[in-house]
Amino acid sequence: MRESSNHFLPLKRLEQMANKGYMIMPLDIIQNTFRNLVGDKGRLLIPFLIFLGLGQLLSTFGYITNILLNVLVDPFIVAYVYFVLFNRKFNLPYSFGDLLKKRWKQLLGMNLLYYLNLLLAASPFIFTMWNYNILDKINSEDFVMEEAMQAIPEQLSLFLTLDIMFVLFLVVAFWWSTILVLFFDIKPIQSIHFSVRLVWKRFGRQLNIAMFIGLIFFLSQSLIISFAGLGETAMTIISLICFGYLNVYIYTSIFETFCQAFFFVPLSDLKDSNEEERRKEEEDFI
C-alpha cells in the first residue's frame, strides 16, 4: 500500500476474484472482528453516536430528514470508519481528507445508486403497506405489525416475504460497494456491479457472516428491551450506544471479510500469475 503512487488498489485482483473466486473463512472473520472491537476501545463508536444522535434530534421533522442523513451524511461516516480500519492495518500514505478530495463525488453517487436500487426492490412492499393504510398506523402506540399484516391476502403476503428476502439479498450483495468506490479507480455503478459479482461468487459464506450479524442485531434488540423499565432518557442513551456498537461491528465485519478475500491469495493463483508473467516476458523477448 505505501509503495503505491496513487490512492488505489489494483483492479486486476478484483477481476481475478470475480473469475476464479477467493478465500473466506467466516470463523476467522468473526474472531478478527471482535479483536478489532476490543482493540478499538470505543473510538469508532464516536462518529456513529454523533450520527445516530443527530438523527434522533432531527426525527421530529419527519422521515425526510433521516432519509437525507442516510443519503448525504452516512456515506462519509462509513468512509471514515473504513479509512481508519485500513490505516490501522496498512498504514496508508495519505490522510482521510486526501481520500475524500479524490472520491467524495463517487462516494455520494454510489450511495445514491445504492438506495435507489433498494427502494426500487422494496417498492412492492412499500406500495402494499401504503395501499392497506399500514404506513399511517406505524407511529401509533398500539401498532402491532402482526395484526396489521393480517389484513393482507395470504398470496400477497407470500409475495411480500419474497420481496423482503430479495431486498436483504441486495443489502448483502452491495456491502462491498463503499470499499470498492473508495479504494479502487472505478465509477459508482461499477462499484455496485463489482460488489454483486464478487459477493455472489462466494455467497454461501458471505451469507454465513450476514446471518451472524443478524444474530448480533437481535441480541442488541434484546439487550435494549431488557432495560425497558428505565426512563425515556436512559432508554434513548442505551439504544444509541447499542446501535452505535452494532454499526461498528457491521462495518468492521465487512472490512475484515473484504481484506481476507482480497489480500489472501491462494498458492495456485500465485503460480498461475507467475506463469502468466513468465509467458509475457518470453513474448517480449521474442
Side-chain angles (χ1 to χ4, degrees), residues 126-138 143 148 151:
I126 296 171
F127 176 78
T128 303
M129 296 296 104
W130 170 81
N131 188 52
Y132 284 87
N133 298 319
I134 296 175
L135 289 179
D136 298 333
K137 304 173 184 177
I138 287 180
F143 176 79

Side-chain angles (χ1 to χ4, degrees), residues 122-155:
S123 58
F125 179 82
I126 296 171
F127 176 78
T128 303
M129 296 296 104
W130 170 81
N131 188 52
Y132 284 87
N133 298 319
I134 296 175
L135 289 179
D136 298 333
K137 304 173 184 177
I138 287 180
N139 290 327
S140 62
E141 294 182 359
D142 58 345
F143 176 79
V144 179
M145 178 60 80
E146 290 78 6
E147 295 178 1
M149 294 294 288
Q150 289 177 2
I152 300 176
E154 186 176 345
Q155 293 88 346

Side-chain angles (χ1 to χ4, degrees), residues 25-38 89 249 252-253 256-257 260:
M25 294 169 280
L27 186 58
D28 285 352
I29 290 167
I30 292 170
Q31 290 175 343
N32 289 339
T33 300
F34 279 110
R35 195 176 296 120
N36 252 318
L37 290 177
V38 173
K89 190 178 284 281
Y249 178 84
T252 304
S253 183
E256 288 293 342
T257 305
Q260 187 175 99

